[in-house]
Protein backbone atom coordinates (compact mmCIF):
# COMPACT_ATOMS: atom_id res chain seq x y z
CA UNK A 1 0.00 0.00 0.00
CA UNK A 2 2.90 2.40 0.80
CA UNK A 3 4.42 1.81 -2.61
CA UNK A 4 1.05 2.40 -4.22
CA UNK A 5 0.69 5.68 -2.28
CA UNK A 6 4.17 7.01 -3.11
CA UNK A 7 4.01 6.18 -6.81
CA UNK A 8 1.34 8.74 -7.64
CA UNK A 9 3.23 11.37 -5.60
CA UNK A 10 6.44 10.73 -7.51
CA UNK A 11 4.56 10.94 -10.75
CA UNK A 12 2.95 14.22 -9.65
CA UNK A 13 6.27 15.72 -8.50
CA UNK A 14 7.93 14.63 -11.73
CA UNK A 15 5.22 16.26 -13.77
CA UNK A 16 5.64 19.50 -11.77
CA UNK A 17 9.41 19.64 -12.21
CA UNK A 18 9.05 18.73 -15.86
CA UNK A 19 6.60 21.57 -16.23
CA UNK A 20 9.06 24.03 -14.65
CA UNK A 21 12.02 23.25 -16.88
CA UNK A 22 10.61 24.68 -20.12
CA UNK A 23 9.78 27.90 -18.27
CA UNK A 24 13.32 28.23 -16.97
CA UNK A 25 14.76 27.46 -20.38
CA UNK A 26 12.49 30.02 -22.03
CA UNK A 27 13.60 32.64 -19.48
CA UNK A 28 17.25 31.89 -20.22
CA UNK A 29 16.56 32.09 -23.91
CA UNK A 30 14.89 35.45 -23.45
CA UNK A 31 17.91 36.74 -21.59
CA UNK A 32 20.21 35.46 -24.30
CA UNK A 33 18.09 37.10 -27.00
CA UNK A 34 18.05 40.34 -25.00
CA UNK A 35 21.83 40.34 -24.65
CA UNK A 36 22.20 39.45 -28.33
CA UNK A 37 20.15 42.53 -29.22
CA UNK A 38 21.83 44.88 -26.72
CA UNK A 39 25.46 43.87 -27.22
CA UNK A 40 25.82 45.34 -30.74
CA UNK A 41 24.40 48.61 -29.42
CA UNK A 42 26.79 48.62 -26.47
CA UNK A 43 29.67 47.75 -28.78
CA UNK A 44 28.75 50.55 -31.17
CA UNK A 45 28.49 53.01 -28.28
CA UNK A 46 31.95 52.01 -27.04
CA UNK A 47 33.56 52.14 -30.48
CA UNK A 48 31.94 55.33 -31.79
CA UNK A 49 31.38 57.38 -28.60
CA UNK A 50 33.21 56.31 -25.45
CA UNK A 51 36.55 55.34 -27.01
CA UNK A 52 36.86 58.53 -29.15
CA UNK A 53 35.99 60.65 -26.10
CA UNK A 54 38.63 58.98 -23.92
CA UNK A 55 41.16 59.21 -26.75
CA UNK A 56 40.36 62.92 -27.19
CA UNK A 57 40.84 63.56 -23.46
CA UNK A 58 44.26 61.90 -23.52
CA UNK A 59 45.21 63.92 -26.61
CA UNK A 60 44.26 67.16 -24.89
CA UNK A 61 46.84 66.50 -22.15
CA UNK A 62 49.59 65.55 -24.59
CA UNK A 63 52.03 67.21 -26.94
CA UNK A 64 50.76 65.82 -30.24
CA UNK A 65 50.90 66.88 -33.86
CA UNK A 66 49.83 65.35 -37.15
CA UNK A 67 53.15 63.59 -37.55
CA UNK A 68 53.62 62.17 -34.06
CA UNK A 69 51.00 61.65 -31.40
CA UNK A 70 51.69 61.56 -27.65
CA UNK A 71 55.22 62.93 -27.85
CA UNK A 72 54.93 63.97 -24.21
CA UNK A 73 52.52 65.11 -21.51
CA UNK A 74 51.83 68.79 -20.93
CA UNK A 75 49.02 68.61 -18.37
CA UNK A 76 46.51 71.45 -18.63
CA UNK A 77 48.80 73.66 -20.68
CA UNK A 78 46.61 73.46 -23.79
CA UNK A 79 43.56 74.48 -21.78
CA UNK A 80 45.20 77.48 -20.12
CA UNK A 81 46.84 78.63 -23.36
CA UNK A 82 43.57 78.36 -25.29
CA UNK A 83 41.61 80.29 -22.68
CA UNK A 84 44.27 83.01 -22.84
CA UNK A 85 43.96 83.31 -26.63
CA UNK A 86 41.57 86.09 -27.62
CA UNK A 87 40.98 84.50 -31.03
CA UNK A 88 39.72 81.27 -29.48
CA UNK A 89 37.47 82.92 -26.88
CA UNK A 90 36.05 85.28 -29.51
CA UNK A 91 35.34 82.30 -31.77
CA UNK A 92 33.41 80.69 -28.91
CA UNK A 93 31.36 83.85 -28.44
CA UNK A 94 30.80 84.08 -32.19
CA UNK A 95 29.58 80.47 -32.27
CA UNK A 96 27.12 81.17 -29.46
CA UNK A 97 25.78 84.26 -31.23
CA UNK A 98 25.54 82.38 -34.51
CA UNK A 99 23.71 79.44 -32.96
CA UNK A 100 21.24 81.54 -30.96
CA UNK A 101 20.56 83.98 -33.78
CA UNK A 102 20.02 81.44 -36.53
CA UNK A 103 17.96 79.20 -34.26
CA UNK A 104 15.67 82.05 -33.17
CA UNK A 105 15.08 83.28 -36.73
CA UNK A 106 14.67 79.77 -38.14
CA UNK A 107 12.14 78.78 -35.46
CA UNK A 108 10.05 81.95 -35.97
CA UNK A 109 10.06 81.59 -39.76
CA UNK A 110 9.50 77.84 -39.50
CA UNK A 111 6.39 78.33 -37.36
CA UNK A 112 5.02 80.88 -39.82
CA UNK A 113 5.65 78.59 -42.78
CA UNK A 114 4.17 75.60 -40.92
CA UNK A 115 0.98 77.54 -40.12
CA UNK A 116 0.65 78.63 -43.75
CA UNK A 117 1.30 75.09 -44.90
CA UNK A 118 -1.29 73.77 -42.47
CA UNK A 119 -3.93 76.03 -43.99
CA UNK A 120 -2.94 75.26 -47.58
CA UNK A 121 -5.00 72.09 -47.93
CA UNK A 122 -5.02 72.23 -51.72
CA UNK A 123 -1.60 71.95 -53.23
CA UNK A 124 -0.08 71.01 -49.89
CA UNK A 125 2.01 68.25 -51.43
CA UNK A 126 3.54 70.63 -53.98
CA UNK A 127 4.29 73.18 -51.27
CA UNK A 128 5.95 70.55 -49.10
CA UNK A 129 8.14 69.51 -52.01
CA UNK A 130 9.19 73.09 -52.72
CA UNK A 131 9.93 73.73 -49.06
CA UNK A 132 12.11 70.62 -48.93
CA UNK A 133 14.42 71.81 -51.72
CA UNK A 134 16.84 73.84 -49.54
CA UNK A 135 16.99 71.01 -47.01
CA UNK A 136 17.80 68.43 -49.68
CA UNK A 137 20.58 70.60 -51.10
CA UNK A 138 24.08 69.65 -49.86
CA UNK A 139 25.67 72.30 -47.58
CA UNK A 140 28.56 72.83 -49.99
CA UNK A 141 26.10 73.50 -52.82
CA UNK A 142 24.20 75.94 -50.62
CA UNK A 143 27.43 77.78 -49.84
CA UNK A 144 28.45 77.96 -53.50
CA UNK A 145 24.98 79.19 -54.47
CA UNK A 146 25.08 81.98 -51.89
CA UNK A 147 28.63 82.84 -52.93
CA UNK A 148 27.47 83.31 -56.52
CA UNK A 149 24.44 85.24 -55.31
CA UNK A 150 26.54 87.69 -53.29
CA UNK A 151 29.43 88.19 -55.73
CA UNK A 152 30.42 91.84 -56.22
CA UNK A 153 30.47 91.43 -60.00
CA UNK A 154 27.75 89.37 -61.62
CA UNK A 155 26.01 88.52 -58.36
CA UNK A 156 22.23 88.70 -58.43
CA UNK A 157 21.92 90.81 -55.27
CA UNK A 158 24.34 93.47 -56.47
CA UNK A 159 22.71 93.54 -59.88
CA UNK A 160 19.26 93.94 -58.32
CA UNK A 161 20.34 96.71 -55.95
CA UNK A 162 22.10 98.60 -58.74
CA UNK A 163 19.12 98.22 -61.08
CA UNK A 164 16.93 99.66 -58.33
CA UNK A 165 19.40 102.56 -58.05
CA UNK A 166 19.99 101.75 -54.38
CA UNK A 167 23.74 101.31 -54.90
CA UNK A 168 25.94 103.14 -57.38
CA UNK A 169 28.68 100.49 -57.35
CA UNK A 170 28.96 96.81 -56.41
CA UNK A 171 29.36 95.90 -52.75
CA UNK A 172 31.46 93.02 -51.44
CA UNK A 173 29.02 91.64 -48.89
CA UNK A 174 31.26 88.75 -47.90
CA UNK A 175 34.34 90.97 -47.84
CA UNK A 176 32.90 93.42 -45.35
CA UNK A 177 33.66 92.80 -41.64
CA UNK A 178 30.23 94.11 -40.69
CA UNK A 179 28.15 92.33 -43.35
CA UNK A 180 29.90 88.97 -43.79
CA UNK A 181 28.68 87.42 -40.54
CA UNK A 182 24.98 88.39 -41.03
CA UNK A 183 25.00 86.97 -44.55
CA UNK A 184 26.50 83.67 -43.36
CA UNK A 185 23.68 83.57 -40.80
CA UNK A 186 21.19 84.30 -43.57
CA UNK A 187 22.48 81.39 -45.65
CA UNK A 188 22.15 79.06 -42.67
CA UNK A 189 18.60 80.27 -41.97
CA UNK A 190 17.65 79.70 -45.61
CA UNK A 191 18.98 76.15 -45.46
CA UNK A 192 17.43 75.04 -42.14
CA UNK A 193 14.13 76.91 -41.97
CA UNK A 194 12.43 74.16 -44.09
CA UNK A 195 13.53 71.59 -41.51
CA UNK A 196 11.94 73.64 -38.71
CA UNK A 197 8.81 74.19 -40.78
CA UNK A 198 8.29 70.50 -41.55
CA UNK A 199 8.92 69.44 -37.95
CA UNK A 200 6.48 72.09 -36.73
CA UNK A 201 3.96 71.09 -39.37
CA UNK A 202 4.13 67.49 -38.15
CA UNK A 203 3.58 68.68 -34.57
CA UNK A 204 0.57 70.73 -35.68
CA UNK A 205 -1.09 67.60 -37.04
CA UNK A 206 -1.09 66.06 -33.55
CA UNK A 207 -3.04 68.89 -31.89
CA UNK A 208 -6.64 67.96 -31.00
CA UNK A 209 -9.29 69.65 -33.13
CA UNK A 210 -11.98 69.65 -30.44
CA UNK A 211 -10.15 72.33 -28.47
CA UNK A 212 -10.22 74.66 -31.49
CA UNK A 213 -13.88 73.92 -32.12
CA UNK A 214 -14.71 74.77 -28.51
CA UNK A 215 -12.69 77.98 -28.76
CA UNK A 216 -14.52 78.98 -31.94
CA UNK A 217 -17.87 78.42 -30.23
CA UNK A 218 -16.69 80.72 -27.45
CA UNK A 219 -15.92 83.40 -30.05
CA UNK A 220 -12.12 83.22 -29.94
CA UNK A 221 -10.32 84.79 -32.90
CA UNK A 222 -7.44 83.30 -34.86
CA UNK A 223 -4.62 85.24 -33.12
CA UNK A 224 -6.17 84.54 -29.71
CA UNK A 225 -6.31 80.81 -30.44
CA UNK A 226 -2.68 80.85 -31.59
CA UNK A 227 -1.36 82.55 -28.46
CA UNK A 228 -3.58 80.75 -25.97
CA UNK A 229 -3.92 77.28 -27.55
CA UNK A 230 -1.53 76.55 -30.42
CA UNK A 231 1.67 78.04 -29.04
CA UNK A 232 1.38 76.56 -25.50
CA UNK A 233 0.62 73.12 -26.93
CA UNK A 234 3.46 73.40 -29.45
CA UNK A 235 5.96 74.65 -26.86
CA UNK A 236 7.50 71.23 -25.98
CA UNK A 237 7.94 70.32 -29.64
CA UNK A 238 9.34 73.75 -30.55
CA UNK A 239 11.84 73.65 -27.70
CA UNK A 240 12.98 70.17 -28.73
CA UNK A 241 13.37 71.37 -32.32
CA UNK A 242 15.26 74.43 -31.08
CA UNK A 243 17.74 72.24 -29.17
CA UNK A 244 18.35 70.16 -32.28
CA UNK A 245 18.83 73.29 -34.40
CA UNK A 246 21.21 74.74 -31.81
CA UNK A 247 23.44 71.69 -32.00
CA UNK A 248 23.39 71.80 -35.81
CA UNK A 249 24.23 75.52 -35.79
CA UNK A 250 27.18 74.99 -33.44
CA UNK A 251 28.61 72.47 -35.92
CA UNK A 252 28.53 74.87 -38.90
CA UNK A 253 31.65 74.57 -41.01
CA UNK A 254 30.77 74.22 -44.69
CA UNK A 255 29.21 77.67 -45.06
CA UNK A 256 32.12 79.42 -43.37
CA UNK A 257 34.72 77.41 -45.27
CA UNK A 258 33.27 78.17 -48.71
CA UNK A 259 31.74 81.62 -48.24
CA UNK A 260 34.37 83.50 -46.26
CA UNK A 261 37.16 81.17 -45.13
CA UNK A 262 36.69 82.61 -41.67
CA UNK A 263 37.30 86.16 -42.84
CA UNK A 264 37.51 88.95 -43.41
CA UNK A 265 40.00 88.86 -40.58
CA UNK A 266 38.26 86.85 -37.85
CA UNK A 267 34.76 88.21 -38.56
CA UNK A 268 33.21 84.82 -39.39
CA UNK A 269 35.62 82.46 -37.62
CA UNK A 270 33.41 80.23 -35.49
CA UNK A 271 34.83 77.63 -33.10
CA UNK A 272 34.55 74.68 -35.46
CA UNK A 273 36.51 76.54 -38.13
CA UNK A 274 39.08 77.81 -35.63
CA UNK A 275 39.70 74.29 -34.28
CA UNK A 276 40.07 73.09 -37.88
CA UNK A 277 42.80 75.67 -38.43
CA UNK A 278 44.63 74.67 -35.26
CA UNK A 279 44.52 70.97 -36.12
CA UNK A 280 45.02 70.93 -39.89
CA UNK A 281 46.88 74.14 -40.67
CA UNK A 282 48.97 74.48 -37.49
CA UNK A 283 49.25 70.69 -36.93
CA UNK A 284 48.66 71.10 -33.17
CA UNK A 285 46.43 68.12 -32.44
CA UNK A 286 46.80 68.38 -28.67
CA UNK A 287 45.58 72.00 -28.56
CA UNK A 288 42.76 71.20 -31.00
CA UNK A 289 41.62 68.33 -28.77
CA UNK A 290 41.53 70.59 -25.69
CA UNK A 291 39.63 73.27 -27.60
CA UNK A 292 37.17 70.66 -28.87
CA UNK A 293 36.40 69.54 -25.31
CA UNK A 294 35.97 73.13 -24.13
CA UNK A 295 33.73 73.82 -27.09
CA UNK A 296 31.62 70.77 -26.22
CA UNK A 297 31.22 72.09 -22.66
CA UNK A 298 30.06 75.46 -24.01
CA UNK A 299 27.53 73.76 -26.28
CA UNK A 300 26.19 71.79 -23.31
CA UNK A 301 25.89 74.91 -21.15
CA UNK A 302 23.99 76.77 -23.88
CA UNK A 303 21.55 73.93 -24.50
CA UNK A 304 20.80 73.26 -20.81
CA UNK A 305 18.28 76.15 -20.44
CA UNK A 306 16.41 74.93 -23.53
CA UNK A 307 16.20 71.33 -22.32
CA UNK A 308 15.06 72.55 -18.89
CA UNK A 309 12.39 74.73 -20.48
CA UNK A 310 11.32 71.74 -22.58
CA UNK A 311 10.82 69.61 -19.46
CA UNK A 312 8.84 72.39 -17.77
CA UNK A 313 6.64 72.86 -20.84
CA UNK A 314 5.93 69.12 -21.02
CA UNK A 315 4.95 69.00 -17.35
CA UNK A 316 2.59 71.95 -17.77
CA UNK A 317 1.03 70.38 -20.83
CA UNK A 318 0.49 67.04 -19.09
Amino acid sequence: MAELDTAPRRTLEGSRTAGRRPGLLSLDRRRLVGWAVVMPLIGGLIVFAIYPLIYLIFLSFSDSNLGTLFRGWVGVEHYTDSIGQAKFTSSLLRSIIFALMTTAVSVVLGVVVALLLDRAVKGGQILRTLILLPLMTPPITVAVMWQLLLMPKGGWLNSFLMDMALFSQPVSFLGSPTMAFPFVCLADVWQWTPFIALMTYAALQTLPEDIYEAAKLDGASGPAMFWSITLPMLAPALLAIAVLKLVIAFKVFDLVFVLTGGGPGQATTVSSFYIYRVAIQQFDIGAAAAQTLMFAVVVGLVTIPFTTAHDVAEKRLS
Side-chain angles (χ1 to χ4, degrees):
M1 293 294 293
E3 293 180 357
L4 292 175
D5 291 338
T6 56
R9 291 178 183 176
R10 292 175 183 173
T11 306
L12 183 59
E13 290 176 358
S15 62
R16 287 178 180 175
T17 56
R20 288 175 186 173
R21 289 176 184 172
L24 292 173
L25 290 175
S26 62
L27 181 59
D28 292 338
R29 288 175 182 173
R30 289 174 188 173
R31 289 177 179 174
L32 289 174
V33 171
W35 279 108
V37 173
V38 173
M39 284 305 295
L41 300 178
I42 296 176
L45 183 64
I46 293 173
V47 172
F48 296 107
I50 297 177
Y51 172 74
L53 177 61
I54 296 174
Y55 192 77
L56 191 67
I57 293 173
F58 276 98
L59 277 177
S60 68
F61 292 109
S62 70
D63 179 18
S64 302
N65 59 29
L66 283 178
T68 307
L69 299 178
F70 302 108
R71 296 186 300 179
W73 300 101
V74 296
V76 296
E77 181 180 336
H78 291 314
Y79 293 92
T80 55
D81 290 347
S82 297
I83 293 174
Q85 294 174 6
K87 291 182 178 180
F88 174 67
T89 54
S90 62
S91 72
L92 286 176
L93 180 61
R94 202 171 292 113
S95 291
I96 295 172
I97 295 173
F98 179 88
L100 292 176
M101 184 184 301
T102 56
T103 298
V105 177
S106 296
V107 168
V108 172
L109 293 178
V111 171
V112 173
V113 174
L115 291 173
L116 294 176
L117 187 62
D118 189 46
R119 293 189 177 185
V121 179
K122 295 182 179 180
Q125 193 69 31
I126 298 176
L127 288 175
R128 284 194 292 270
T129 304
L130 293 175
I131 290 174
L132 271 173
L133 287 177
L135 189 61
M136 293 187 296
T137 307
I140 291 294
T141 305
V142 172
V144 171
M145 183 194 71
W146 277 90
Q147 190 178 44
L148 296 174
L149 185 71
L150 301 172
M151 286 178 62
K153 294 184 179 180
W156 178 86
L157 185 57
N158 269 295
S159 300
F160 174 77
L161 294 175
M162 293 179 67
D163 290 342
M164 297 295 293
L166 297 175
F167 287 168
S168 59
Q169 57 184 1
V171 177
S172 178
F173 297 105
L174 298 177
S176 169
T178 57
M179 290 189 289
F181 187 76
F183 274 102
V184 174
C185 293
L186 180 62
D188 183 85
V189 168
W190 182 86
Q191 182 182 7
W192 290 104
T193 295
F195 169 76
I196 307 294
L198 290 177
M199 296 287 285
T200 307
Y201 175 77
L204 282 171
Q205 307 311 305
T206 63
L207 301 184
E209 291 290 337
D210 53 350
I211 298 179
Y212 291 97
E213 293 175 359
K216 289 179 181 178
L217 292 175
D218 291 338
S221 60
M225 286 192 292
F226 173 77
W227 291 108
S228 60
I229 299 176
T230 304
L231 191 58
M233 296 181 70
L234 278 180
L238 289 179
L239 288 168
I241 295 169
V243 171
L244 185 58
K245 176 62 182 73
L246 271 174
V247 175
I248 294 173
F250 272 116
K251 296 193 302 179
V252 64
F253 178 85
D254 314 76
L255 292 178
V256 175
F257 183 82
V258 176
L259 286 176
T260 63
Q266 299 290 320
T268 59
T269 301
V270 292
S271 294
S272 58
F273 192 77
Y274 183 85
I275 295 170
Y276 155 78
R277 280 179 170 174
V278 172
I280 304 302
Q281 296 181 357
Q282 300 176 15
F283 311 121
D284 197 344
I285 300 299
Q291 292 167 4
T292 300
L293 291 172
M294 287 188 284
F295 180 47
V297 172
V298 171
V299 173
L301 292 175
V302 173
T303 55
I304 282 175
F306 289 86
T307 54
T308 304
H310 171 265
D311 295 338
V312 172
E314 273 196 336
K315 290 179 180 179
R316 287 181 179 179
L317 190 60
S318 60

